[in-house]
Amino acid sequence: MTIAHDEAVIDAAAVDAIFAEARTANAFTGEVTDDQARAIYELTKFGPTAFNSQPLRVTYVRSEEARTTLVGALAAGNRAKTESAPLVAVLSYDTSWQEQWDRFLPGYNAPKAMYDAAPDLAASTGNNNAHLQAGYFILAVRSLGFAAGPMTGADFSAIDAAFFPDGSQKSFLVVNIGQPGPDAWGETKPKFAYEDVVRTV
């Protein structure tokens, strides 16, 4: 038990499942149902984003054809675990996320003009907030009792060409999802201490 367990408003088992004992898996087994896949997003969507923008887009890869295409775009070390994962998600951001303004922030669309006038700002905002949502996505996976294996070792331009050829989305993360398989992880890796990374000013 740590101070995090003592201060948390959720029970110790939940703290462990989502944070303290959760680890990135490299081997997978089991099944992830369509209802469970939906539940992952239903939890993810509640995390905060700038202007409630929610630019994250999730592509679940189920078919054999799509899985083969995705695996071919991954770094060699990521291929076998992705082939065996019960469910794989490609996370991307909507490149025209601000066009949904009246849906995600109805009644206050004044900031939209700023993003319309600055495509680079719109792209970086979409990218940054989708990355933020990716963190919520991983925690949602863990909260449902699954292991997550997020990976950036991929040719994302190839993934975009295969899955989003119209340019409507830009991918940035692939996440394997399932129950941890045999030898799913090696030794626990060290984490920085509070004193190493936190200061009060």
Side-chain angles (χ1 to χ4, degrees), residues 50-53 97-98 100-115:
F51 297 109
N52 194 40
S53 53
W97 62 269
Q98 72 271 25
Q100 302 290 323
W101 203 284
D102 288 337
R103 294 186 63 193
F104 62 70
L105 200 64
Y108 179 62
N109 64 3
K112 180 178 181 296
M114 173 177 65
Y115 293 105

Side-chain angles (χ1 to χ4, degrees), residues 68-79:
T68 298
T69 298
L70 176 61
V71 167
L74 299 179
N78 290 333
R79 292 174 184 167

Side-chain angles (χ1 to χ4, degrees), residues 70-92:
L70 176 61
V71 167
L74 299 179
N78 290 333
R79 292 174 184 167
K81 51 188 161 184
T82 303
E83 287 174 334
S84 69
L87 181 63
V88 184
V90 174
L91 302 190
S92 59

